[in-house]
Amino acid sequence: MMVKHGLAYALARGLPALVSFAAIAIYTRFLEPAEYGRYAVAIATIGVAQMVAFLWLQLGLLRFVAAYRGAPERLLASALAGFVVVALVIGLAALGLVWRLDDPAMQQFVLIGCALVVVDALSEMQLRLANARLQPVHYARLALTRAIVALAVGFGLVRAGMGGEGVLIGLLAGAAAAAALPSFRTFRDCRPRDVDPVILKRLFLYGAPLVVTIALDYVLFTADRLLIAR
């Protein structure tokens, strides 16, 4: 069983990685260097923002799904409540930043980036749940859907002349395609009365310390893009 699941997850991770590699080859061919640079900086920034905002929740779900198998609605409702609160905070921060910016292009970039942070975090939650529930086929379906839709939409928009913004919109479309229906199925039975602050606290206390380590590694990995842009 472990070998079967291991091979399934290897394919589930490997195939989307191949699609992402193809995307890099395509975008470096069709984007101007400055456009690709803005895209690279945006992805690095979005990655850090998503980790700081949502990774604790994703890691907590991965850890506690088995523990709350008898009452999953309490865990899922609490996780959804935490997700909504963080998403609202990010949305308000993005609107405040947009209000302070004078460049319409940067305003558009910030709004797209904010939407991508939230929607991609939701798709990551679905991947973590599939992982925790030992559903490699479902995991592969979600990961491939996200990668293929992102490349198809992003490449189409790049060819239409949208540049780096087109790539980000493609990523947003891919995340939405992977997150919309699974999230509806996952959270449709959640009710406000099922939200448990104790569970939400457990998710945070488990995930927050791990976020510090993982986020630092990610920042070190992507710092060159930010330094070059600066």
Side-chain angles (χ1 to χ4, degrees), residues 14-209:
L15 293 178
L18 290 176
V19 176
S20 298
F21 182 79
I24 293 174
I26 291 171
Y27 293 145
T28 51
R29 169 68 178 82
F30 288 97
L31 286 174
E32 294 294 328
E35 291 177 337
Y36 191 87
R38 286 194 296 271
Y39 156 71
V41 171
I43 288 299
T45 305
I46 289 168
V48 172
Q50 187 185 124
M51 284 188 175
V52 173
F54 292 108
L55 185 59
W56 63 273
L57 190 55
Q58 298 160 6
L59 293 174
L61 277 176
L62 183 62
R63 166 64 179 83
F64 291 109
V65 163
Y68 286 93
R69 185 177 292 116
E73 66 281 351
R74 292 176 58 219
L75 174 66
L76 294 175
S78 302
L80 180 61
F83 177 86
V84 170
V85 170
V86 175
L88 288 174
V89 171
I90 290 176
L92 291 173
L95 290 176
L97 182 58
V98 167
W99 182 71
R100 295 184 62 182
L101 292 172
D102 297 326
D103 185 356
M106 284 301 299
Q107 291 175 338
Q108 181 181 6
F109 223 76
V110 168
L111 291 175
I112 296 172
C114 173
L116 181 55
V117 167
V118 173
V119 178
D120 196 55
L122 190 60
S123 70
E124 280 292 331
M125 285 177 63
Q126 294 304 316
L127 289 173
R128 303 278 180 171
L129 285 170
N131 197 353
R133 292 167 174 168
L134 301 179
Q135 298 173 328
V137 175
H138 183 53
Y139 184 102
R141 187 183 301 115
L142 294 178
L144 275 174
T145 297
R146 183 169 68 173
I148 292 173
V149 172
L151 178 56
V153 175
F155 178 64
L157 293 177
V158 167
R159 294 295 288 165
M162 291 194 65
E165 289 85 349
V167 181
L168 294 181
I169 294 174
L171 293 173
L172 178 60
L181 185 58
S183 296
F184 172 75
R185 291 173 175 171
T186 298
F187 299 115
R188 63 184 173 185
D189 294 328
C190 294
R191 300 292 182 269
R193 65 174 179 272
D194 295 325
V195 176
D196 190 337
V198 174
I199 294 178
L200 198 54
K201 182 179 178 180
R202 291 188 70 184
L203 294 174
F204 180 78
L205 291 178
Y206 174 80

